[in-house]
Amino acid sequence: MPEAPIARFKVMGFHVNVRPGFLMLCAVYLLLGLSRKDPLWSIASFAAIVFVSIVVHELGHALMCRRLKVRVSDVEIHGFGGHVMSAQTTARNQFLISIAGPGAGLSIGLPMLIPFLMMDLPPVAEVVVGQIVWVNVGWSLVNLIPMKPLAGGQAFHSIMDMYTDARQAAYITGVLGLILGIVIAVVGWQVGAVFLAIIGVYVAYNNFQAIQRSQRAFR
């Protein structure tokens, strides 16, 4: 059973559960920020922006579900971002739902590029706007990489579902995610980006398990 939420609220008609894992994510940000000697207000603003941005991202998925008449039970926020608990639907619908999350983030981040790049902002505002741009543009683009559990991986799986059978779709998506996860882990390790390396290992392991599940399910 999932851990009890540390917070639960409702937004735009959707129940949002914040799981304890999100506090672990904030702890990682705190440690990284302190290691870089960032001011505490900058670390706090980054954690707040990450939280709001994750909620917006997941609402993008949830609102597309609503538009396509796909039932949504809850929105989960946890240590690896979040996900929407929704009913099964067609491959085409799932593709649209998958890309709606990064689309929601980009709709916030791209307009903020104007003041960030073209205006002479006060130092504090420049930091905060830069954080908004980084989280909502940078992370949204990363999220479109075709590897599960990222939105891009879900979208890629949906495309494979449209043109191949279920077993091939699951297997091809898993193999691609495994390869990309290994590449990210190696690159992160080589450049000293430990957090990136950890993400790569998680993605690789997640997709290795997905490959095994696909093989067992269709034997």
Side-chain angles (χ1 to χ4, degrees), residues 172-206:
I172 293 170
T173 304
V175 169
L176 179 60
L178 175 62
I179 293 171
L180 291 174
I182 292 172
V183 170
I184 289 172
V186 171
V187 170
W189 181 261
Q190 291 292 328
V191 302
V194 177
F195 194 53
L196 183 63
I198 292 172
I199 291 174
V201 171
Y202 169 75
V203 167
Y205 179 69
N206 186 284

PDB file of all heavy atoms in Angstrom, residues 172-206:
ATOM      1  N   ILE A 172       9.766  -2.701 -27.176  1.00  0.00           N
ATOM      2  CA  ILE A 172      10.552  -1.654 -27.852  1.00  0.00           C
ATOM      3  C   ILE A 172      10.709  -0.437 -26.948  1.00  0.00           C
ATOM      4  O   ILE A 172      11.798   0.135 -26.832  1.00  0.00           O
ATOM      5  CB  ILE A 172       9.891  -1.260 -29.185  1.00  0.00           C
ATOM      6  CG1 ILE A 172       9.954  -2.426 -30.172  1.00  0.00           C
ATOM      7  CG2 ILE A 172      10.570  -0.031 -29.789  1.00  0.00           C
ATOM      8  CD1 ILE A 172       9.126  -2.218 -31.423  1.00  0.00           C
ATOM      9  N   THR A 173       9.621  -0.039 -26.289  1.00  0.00           N
ATOM     10  CA  THR A 173       9.689   1.114 -25.390  1.00  0.00           C
ATOM     11  C   THR A 173      10.635   0.843 -24.231  1.00  0.00           C
ATOM     12  O   THR A 173      11.427   1.711 -23.841  1.00  0.00           O
ATOM     13  CB  THR A 173       8.287   1.443 -24.843  1.00  0.00           C
ATOM     14  OG1 THR A 173       7.390   1.662 -25.928  1.00  0.00           O
ATOM     15  CG2 THR A 173       8.328   2.686 -23.974  1.00  0.00           C
ATOM     16  N   GLY A 174      10.577  -0.368 -23.684  1.00  0.00           N
ATOM     17  CA  GLY A 174      11.456  -0.728 -22.579  1.00  0.00           C
ATOM     18  C   GLY A 174      12.922  -0.735 -22.975  1.00  0.00           C
ATOM     19  O   GLY A 174      13.782  -0.239 -22.243  1.00  0.00           O
ATOM     20  N   VAL A 175      13.223  -1.283 -24.147  1.00  0.00           N
ATOM     21  CA  VAL A 175      14.619  -1.336 -24.616  1.00  0.00           C
ATOM     22  C   VAL A 175      15.163   0.067 -24.846  1.00  0.00           C
ATOM     23  O   VAL A 175      16.290   0.395 -24.444  1.00  0.00           O
ATOM     24  CB  VAL A 175      14.727  -2.180 -25.908  1.00  0.00           C
ATOM     25  CG1 VAL A 175      16.107  -2.023 -26.536  1.00  0.00           C
ATOM     26  CG2 VAL A 175      14.449  -3.653 -25.596  1.00  0.00           C
ATOM     27  N   LEU A 176      14.365   0.919 -25.483  1.00  0.00           N
ATOM     28  CA  LEU A 176      14.802   2.290 -25.730  1.00  0.00           C
ATOM     29  C   LEU A 176      15.036   3.021 -24.406  1.00  0.00           C
ATOM     30  O   LEU A 176      16.053   3.721 -24.237  1.00  0.00           O
ATOM     31  CB  LEU A 176      13.762   3.036 -26.563  1.00  0.00           C
ATOM     32  CG  LEU A 176      14.087   4.506 -26.884  1.00  0.00           C
ATOM     33  CD1 LEU A 176      15.388   4.610 -27.677  1.00  0.00           C
ATOM     34  CD2 LEU A 176      12.941   5.148 -27.661  1.00  0.00           C
ATOM     35  N   GLY A 177      14.122   2.855 -23.450  1.00  0.00           N
ATOM     36  CA  GLY A 177      14.286   3.500 -22.153  1.00  0.00           C
ATOM     37  C   GLY A 177      15.500   2.982 -21.403  1.00  0.00           C
ATOM     38  O   GLY A 177      16.203   3.758 -20.749  1.00  0.00           O
ATOM     39  N   LEU A 178      15.764   1.673 -21.509  1.00  0.00           N
ATOM     40  CA  LEU A 178      16.935   1.077 -20.866  1.00  0.00           C
ATOM     41  C   LEU A 178      18.224   1.676 -21.430  1.00  0.00           C
ATOM     42  O   LEU A 178      19.127   2.075 -20.673  1.00  0.00           O
ATOM     43  CB  LEU A 178      16.919  -0.439 -21.059  1.00  0.00           C
ATOM     44  CG  LEU A 178      18.148  -1.210 -20.553  1.00  0.00           C
ATOM     45  CD1 LEU A 178      18.302  -1.047 -19.047  1.00  0.00           C
ATOM     46  CD2 LEU A 178      18.033  -2.692 -20.930  1.00  0.00           C
ATOM     47  N   ILE A 179      18.308   1.768 -22.744  1.00  0.00           N
ATOM     48  CA  ILE A 179      19.508   2.319 -23.385  1.00  0.00           C
ATOM     49  C   ILE A 179      19.713   3.780 -22.991  1.00  0.00           C
ATOM     50  O   ILE A 179      20.824   4.187 -22.606  1.00  0.00           O
ATOM     51  CB  ILE A 179      19.405   2.186 -24.919  1.00  0.00           C
ATOM     52  CG1 ILE A 179      19.442   0.705 -25.321  1.00  0.00           C
ATOM     53  CG2 ILE A 179      20.535   2.951 -25.606  1.00  0.00           C
ATOM     54  CD1 ILE A 179      19.126   0.462 -26.783  1.00  0.00           C
ATOM     55  N   LEU A 180      18.646   4.570 -23.069  1.00  0.00           N
ATOM     56  CA  LEU A 180      18.764   5.993 -22.735  1.00  0.00           C
ATOM     57  C   LEU A 180      19.093   6.190 -21.262  1.00  0.00           C
ATOM     58  O   LEU A 180      19.867   7.093 -20.905  1.00  0.00           O
ATOM     59  CB  LEU A 180      17.470   6.721 -23.093  1.00  0.00           C
ATOM     60  CG  LEU A 180      17.176   6.848 -24.596  1.00  0.00           C
ATOM     61  CD1 LEU A 180      15.798   7.461 -24.817  1.00  0.00           C
ATOM     62  CD2 LEU A 180      18.237   7.706 -25.277  1.00  0.00           C
ATOM     63  N   GLY A 181      18.510   5.362 -20.394  1.00  0.00           N
ATOM     64  CA  GLY A 181      18.819   5.450 -18.970  1.00  0.00           C
ATOM     65  C   GLY A 181      20.288   5.176 -18.691  1.00  0.00           C
ATOM     66  O   GLY A 181      20.927   5.881 -17.898  1.00  0.00           O
ATOM     67  N   ILE A 182      20.844   4.159 -19.350  1.00  0.00           N
ATOM     68  CA  ILE A 182      22.269   3.837 -19.172  1.00  0.00           C
ATOM     69  C   ILE A 182      23.139   4.996 -19.661  1.00  0.00           C
ATOM     70  O   ILE A 182      24.116   5.384 -19.003  1.00  0.00           O
ATOM     71  CB  ILE A 182      22.617   2.530 -19.913  1.00  0.00           C
ATOM     72  CG1 ILE A 182      21.936   1.342 -19.236  1.00  0.00           C
ATOM     73  CG2 ILE A 182      24.132   2.330 -19.959  1.00  0.00           C
ATOM     74  CD1 ILE A 182      22.052   0.045 -19.995  1.00  0.00           C
ATOM     75  N   VAL A 183      22.778   5.561 -20.815  1.00  0.00           N
ATOM     76  CA  VAL A 183      23.539   6.691 -21.359  1.00  0.00           C
ATOM     77  C   VAL A 183      23.525   7.865 -20.387  1.00  0.00           C
ATOM     78  O   VAL A 183      24.565   8.481 -20.105  1.00  0.00           O
ATOM     79  CB  VAL A 183      22.968   7.117 -22.735  1.00  0.00           C
ATOM     80  CG1 VAL A 183      23.584   8.441 -23.180  1.00  0.00           C
ATOM     81  CG2 VAL A 183      23.224   6.042 -23.780  1.00  0.00           C
ATOM     82  N   ILE A 184      22.357   8.188 -19.851  1.00  0.00           N
ATOM     83  CA  ILE A 184      22.242   9.302 -18.910  1.00  0.00           C
ATOM     84  C   ILE A 184      23.044   9.031 -17.642  1.00  0.00           C
ATOM     85  O   ILE A 184      23.724   9.923 -17.112  1.00  0.00           O
ATOM     86  CB  ILE A 184      20.764   9.558 -18.581  1.00  0.00           C
ATOM     87  CG1 ILE A 184      20.062  10.152 -19.797  1.00  0.00           C
ATOM     88  CG2 ILE A 184      20.615  10.494 -17.378  1.00  0.00           C
ATOM     89  CD1 ILE A 184      18.559  10.257 -19.647  1.00  0.00           C
ATOM     90  N   ALA A 185      22.990   7.802 -17.140  1.00  0.00           N
ATOM     91  CA  ALA A 185      23.746   7.446 -15.937  1.00  0.00           C
ATOM     92  C   ALA A 185      25.251   7.599 -16.172  1.00  0.00           C
ATOM     93  O   ALA A 185      25.970   8.150 -15.328  1.00  0.00           O
ATOM     94  CB  ALA A 185      23.410   6.024 -15.516  1.00  0.00           C
ATOM     95  N   VAL A 186      25.729   7.130 -17.318  1.00  0.00           N
ATOM     96  CA  VAL A 186      27.168   7.212 -17.626  1.00  0.00           C
ATOM     97  C   VAL A 186      27.599   8.666 -17.788  1.00  0.00           C
ATOM     98  O   VAL A 186      28.623   9.090 -17.237  1.00  0.00           O
ATOM     99  CB  VAL A 186      27.490   6.407 -18.897  1.00  0.00           C
ATOM    100  CG1 VAL A 186      28.932   6.672 -19.353  1.00  0.00           C
ATOM    101  CG2 VAL A 186      27.280   4.913 -18.654  1.00  0.00           C
ATOM    102  N   VAL A 187      26.804   9.442 -18.537  1.00  0.00           N
ATOM    103  CA  VAL A 187      27.137  10.855 -18.738  1.00  0.00           C
ATOM    104  C   VAL A 187      27.129  11.596 -17.405  1.00  0.00           C
ATOM    105  O   VAL A 187      28.042  12.388 -17.107  1.00  0.00           O
ATOM    106  CB  VAL A 187      26.150  11.510 -19.729  1.00  0.00           C
ATOM    107  CG1 VAL A 187      26.342  13.024 -19.754  1.00  0.00           C
ATOM    108  CG2 VAL A 187      26.340  10.938 -21.125  1.00  0.00           C
ATOM    109  N   GLY A 188      26.117  11.354 -16.584  1.00  0.00           N
ATOM    110  CA  GLY A 188      26.039  12.000 -15.284  1.00  0.00           C
ATOM    111  C   GLY A 188      27.237  11.672 -14.415  1.00  0.00           C
ATOM    112  O   GLY A 188      27.804  12.546 -13.749  1.00  0.00           O
ATOM    113  N   TRP A 189      27.650  10.404 -14.445  1.00  0.00           N
ATOM    114  CA  TRP A 189      28.811   9.983 -13.659  1.00  0.00           C
ATOM    115  C   TRP A 189      30.094  10.634 -14.180  1.00  0.00           C
ATOM    116  O   TRP A 189      30.932  11.096 -13.402  1.00  0.00           O
ATOM    117  CB  TRP A 189      28.932   8.466 -13.696  1.00  0.00           C
ATOM    118  CG  TRP A 189      30.093   7.939 -12.891  1.00  0.00           C
ATOM    119  CD1 TRP A 189      31.322   7.568 -13.351  1.00  0.00           C
ATOM    120  CD2 TRP A 189      30.125   7.733 -11.476  1.00  0.00           C
ATOM    121  NE1 TRP A 189      32.111   7.153 -12.326  1.00  0.00           N
ATOM    122  CE2 TRP A 189      31.406   7.237 -11.153  1.00  0.00           C
ATOM    123  CE3 TRP A 189      29.177   7.923 -10.460  1.00  0.00           C
ATOM    124  CZ2 TRP A 189      31.765   6.928  -9.844  1.00  0.00           C
ATOM    125  CZ3 TRP A 189      29.549   7.618  -9.148  1.00  0.00           C
ATOM    126  CH2 TRP A 189      30.830   7.130  -8.865  1.00  0.00           C
ATOM    127  N   GLN A 190      30.228  10.692 -15.497  1.00  0.00           N
ATOM    128  CA  GLN A 190      31.440  11.251 -16.104  1.00  0.00           C
ATOM    129  C   GLN A 190      31.605  12.738 -15.807  1.00  0.00           C
ATOM    130  O   GLN A 190      32.722  13.215 -15.613  1.00  0.00           O
ATOM    131  CB  GLN A 190      31.419  11.020 -17.621  1.00  0.00           C
ATOM    132  CG  GLN A 190      31.582   9.576 -18.048  1.00  0.00           C
ATOM    133  CD  GLN A 190      32.971   9.024 -17.742  1.00  0.00           C
ATOM    134  OE1 GLN A 190      33.955   9.743 -17.776  1.00  0.00           O
ATOM    135  NE2 GLN A 190      33.041   7.734 -17.435  1.00  0.00           N
ATOM    136  N   VAL A 191      30.503  13.481 -15.804  1.00  0.00           N
ATOM    137  CA  VAL A 191      30.589  14.932 -15.592  1.00  0.00           C
ATOM    138  C   VAL A 191      30.434  15.303 -14.117  1.00  0.00           C
ATOM    139  O   VAL A 191      30.449  16.485 -13.771  1.00  0.00           O
ATOM    140  CB  VAL A 191      29.534  15.681 -16.435  1.00  0.00           C
ATOM    141  CG1 VAL A 191      29.704  15.375 -17.906  1.00  0.00           C
ATOM    142  CG2 VAL A 191      28.105  15.354 -15.976  1.00  0.00           C
ATOM    143  N   GLY A 192      30.284  14.306 -13.253  1.00  0.00           N
ATOM    144  CA  GLY A 192      30.174  14.577 -11.828  1.00  0.00           C
ATOM    145  C   GLY A 192      28.800  15.020 -11.371  1.00  0.00           C
ATOM    146  O   GLY A 192      28.644  15.536 -10.262  1.00  0.00           O
ATOM    147  N   ALA A 193      27.784  14.821 -12.223  1.00  0.00           N
ATOM    148  CA  ALA A 193      26.404  15.179 -11.853  1.00  0.00           C
ATOM    149  C   ALA A 193      25.750  13.949 -11.222  1.00  0.00           C
ATOM    150  O   ALA A 193      25.110  13.143 -11.909  1.00  0.00           O
ATOM    151  CB  ALA A 193      25.632  15.653 -13.079  1.00  0.00           C
ATOM    152  N   VAL A 194      25.925  13.813  -9.915  1.00  0.00           N
ATOM    153  CA  VAL A 194      25.474  12.606  -9.215  1.00  0.00           C
ATOM    154  C   VAL A 194      23.955  12.436  -9.327  1.00  0.00           C
ATOM    155  O   VAL A 194      23.461  11.319  -9.547  1.00  0.00           O
ATOM    156  CB  VAL A 194      25.896  12.664  -7.731  1.00  0.00           C
ATOM    157  CG1 VAL A 194      25.376  11.440  -6.977  1.00  0.00           C
ATOM    158  CG2 VAL A 194      27.410  12.752  -7.615  1.00  0.00           C
ATOM    159  N   PHE A 195      23.222  13.539  -9.174  1.00  0.00           N
ATOM    160  CA  PHE A 195      21.759  13.463  -9.244  1.00  0.00           C
ATOM    161  C   PHE A 195      21.312  12.952 -10.609  1.00  0.00           C
ATOM    162  O   PHE A 195      20.401  12.123 -10.710  1.00  0.00           O
ATOM    163  CB  PHE A 195      21.163  14.843  -8.955  1.00  0.00           C
ATOM    164  CG  PHE A 195      19.686  14.819  -8.666  1.00  0.00           C
ATOM    165  CD1 PHE A 195      19.163  13.986  -7.695  1.00  0.00           C
ATOM    166  CD2 PHE A 195      18.816  15.632  -9.358  1.00  0.00           C
ATOM    167  CE1 PHE A 195      17.801  13.964  -7.413  1.00  0.00           C
ATOM    168  CE2 PHE A 195      17.454  15.627  -9.097  1.00  0.00           C
ATOM    169  CZ  PHE A 195      16.956  14.780  -8.117  1.00  0.00           C
ATOM    170  N   LEU A 196      21.960  13.439 -11.680  1.00  0.00           N
ATOM    171  CA  LEU A 196      21.630  12.982 -13.031  1.00  0.00           C
ATOM    172  C   LEU A 196      21.946  11.500 -13.184  1.00  0.00           C
ATOM    173  O   LEU A 196      21.182  10.753 -13.805  1.00  0.00           O
ATOM    174  CB  LEU A 196      22.406  13.811 -14.061  1.00  0.00           C
ATOM    175  CG  LEU A 196      22.129  13.509 -15.535  1.00  0.00           C
ATOM    176  CD1 LEU A 196      20.685  13.818 -15.884  1.00  0.00           C
ATOM    177  CD2 LEU A 196      23.074  14.310 -16.423  1.00  0.00           C
ATOM    178  N   ALA A 197      23.076  11.075 -12.622  1.00  0.00           N
ATOM    179  CA  ALA A 197      23.453   9.661 -12.693  1.00  0.00           C
ATOM    180  C   ALA A 197      22.430   8.780 -11.976  1.00  0.00           C
ATOM    181  O   ALA A 197      22.067   7.702 -12.461  1.00  0.00           O
ATOM    182  CB  ALA A 197      24.843   9.454 -12.094  1.00  0.00           C
ATOM    183  N   ILE A 198      21.943   9.251 -10.828  1.00  0.00           N
ATOM    184  CA  ILE A 198      20.937   8.493 -10.075  1.00  0.00           C
ATOM    185  C   ILE A 198      19.653   8.365 -10.887  1.00  0.00           C
ATOM    186  O   ILE A 198      19.036   7.290 -10.944  1.00  0.00           O
ATOM    187  CB  ILE A 198      20.652   9.173  -8.714  1.00  0.00           C
ATOM    188  CG1 ILE A 198      21.883   9.057  -7.811  1.00  0.00           C
ATOM    189  CG2 ILE A 198      19.433   8.552  -8.042  1.00  0.00           C
ATOM    190  CD1 ILE A 198      21.776   9.857  -6.538  1.00  0.00           C
ATOM    191  N   ILE A 199      19.251   9.456 -11.539  1.00  0.00           N
ATOM    192  CA  ILE A 199      18.055   9.415 -12.383  1.00  0.00           C
ATOM    193  C   ILE A 199      18.241   8.397 -13.510  1.00  0.00           C
ATOM    194  O   ILE A 199      17.334   7.625 -13.821  1.00  0.00           O
ATOM    195  CB  ILE A 199      17.756  10.812 -12.954  1.00  0.00           C
ATOM    196  CG1 ILE A 199      17.311  11.754 -11.840  1.00  0.00           C
ATOM    197  CG2 ILE A 199      16.677  10.735 -14.045  1.00  0.00           C
ATOM    198  CD1 ILE A 199      17.125  13.181 -12.272  1.00  0.00           C
ATOM    199  N   GLY A 200      19.425   8.404 -14.130  1.00  0.00           N
ATOM    200  CA  GLY A 200      19.698   7.451 -15.208  1.00  0.00           C
ATOM    201  C   GLY A 200      19.602   6.009 -14.740  1.00  0.00           C
ATOM    202  O   GLY A 200      19.020   5.157 -15.429  1.00  0.00           O
ATOM    203  N   VAL A 201      20.164   5.738 -13.565  1.00  0.00           N
ATOM    204  CA  VAL A 201      20.097   4.380 -13.007  1.00  0.00           C
ATOM    205  C   VAL A 201      18.651   3.993 -12.738  1.00  0.00           C
ATOM    206  O   VAL A 201      18.216   2.872 -13.046  1.00  0.00           O
ATOM    207  CB  VAL A 201      20.930   4.290 -11.713  1.00  0.00           C
ATOM    208  CG1 VAL A 201      20.683   2.953 -11.008  1.00  0.00           C
ATOM    209  CG2 VAL A 201      22.414   4.454 -12.028  1.00  0.00           C
ATOM    210  N   TYR A 202      17.876   4.919 -12.158  1.00  0.00           N
ATOM    211  CA  TYR A 202      16.456   4.645 -11.876  1.00  0.00           C
ATOM    212  C   TYR A 202      15.684   4.343 -13.156  1.00  0.00           C
ATOM    213  O   TYR A 202      14.912   3.382 -13.216  1.00  0.00           O
ATOM    214  CB  TYR A 202      15.834   5.846 -11.155  1.00  0.00           C
ATOM    215  CG  TYR A 202      14.335   5.775 -11.058  1.00  0.00           C
ATOM    216  CD1 TYR A 202      13.716   4.918 -10.148  1.00  0.00           C
ATOM    217  CD2 TYR A 202      13.528   6.562 -11.881  1.00  0.00           C
ATOM    218  CE1 TYR A 202      12.333   4.847 -10.065  1.00  0.00           C
ATOM    219  CE2 TYR A 202      12.146   6.495 -11.799  1.00  0.00           C
ATOM    220  CZ  TYR A 202      11.560   5.632 -10.892  1.00  0.00           C
ATOM    221  OH  TYR A 202      10.195   5.567 -10.819  1.00  0.00           O
ATOM    222  N   VAL A 203      15.917   5.165 -14.185  1.00  0.00           N
ATOM    223  CA  VAL A 203      15.221   4.973 -15.458  1.00  0.00           C
ATOM    224  C   VAL A 203      15.608   3.625 -16.081  1.00  0.00           C
ATOM    225  O   VAL A 203      14.753   2.879 -16.568  1.00  0.00           O
ATOM    226  CB  VAL A 203      15.533   6.131 -16.424  1.00  0.00           C
ATOM    227  CG1 VAL A 203      15.087   5.791 -17.846  1.00  0.00           C
ATOM    228  CG2 VAL A 203      14.851   7.407 -15.956  1.00  0.00           C
ATOM    229  N   ALA A 204      16.905   3.327 -16.072  1.00  0.00           N
ATOM    230  CA  ALA A 204      17.378   2.064 -16.653  1.00  0.00           C
ATOM    231  C   ALA A 204      16.763   0.871 -15.928  1.00  0.00           C
ATOM    232  O   ALA A 204      16.269  -0.078 -16.573  1.00  0.00           O
ATOM    233  CB  ALA A 204      18.902   1.998 -16.591  1.00  0.00           C
ATOM    234  N   TYR A 205      16.752   0.927 -14.595  1.00  0.00           N
ATOM    235  CA  TYR A 205      16.193  -0.179 -13.820  1.00  0.00           C
ATOM    236  C   TYR A 205      14.693  -0.303 -14.056  1.00  0.00           C
ATOM    237  O   TYR A 205      14.164  -1.412 -14.219  1.00  0.00           O
ATOM    238  CB  TYR A 205      16.481   0.032 -12.334  1.00  0.00           C
ATOM    239  CG  TYR A 205      15.924  -1.050 -11.438  1.00  0.00           C
ATOM    240  CD1 TYR A 205      16.469  -2.339 -11.467  1.00  0.00           C
ATOM    241  CD2 TYR A 205      14.858  -0.803 -10.573  1.00  0.00           C
ATOM    242  CE1 TYR A 205      15.963  -3.346 -10.657  1.00  0.00           C
ATOM    243  CE2 TYR A 205      14.345  -1.804  -9.768  1.00  0.00           C
ATOM    244  CZ  TYR A 205      14.901  -3.067  -9.814  1.00  0.00           C
ATOM    245  OH  TYR A 205      14.396  -4.071  -9.013  1.00  0.00           O
ATOM    246  N   ASN A 206      14.001   0.831 -14.086  1.00  0.00           N
ATOM    247  CA  ASN A 206      12.559   0.851 -14.322  1.00  0.00           C
ATOM    248  C   ASN A 206      12.219   0.193 -15.651  1.00  0.00           C
ATOM    249  O   ASN A 206      11.279  -0.603 -15.752  1.00  0.00           O
ATOM    250  CB  ASN A 206      12.066   2.305 -14.279  1.00  0.00           C
ATOM    251  CG  ASN A 206      10.568   2.438 -14.376  1.00  0.00           C
ATOM    252  OD1 ASN A 206      10.001   2.296 -15.456  1.00  0.00           O
ATOM    253  ND2 ASN A 206       9.913   2.746 -13.273  1.00  0.00           N
TER     254      ASN A 206
END
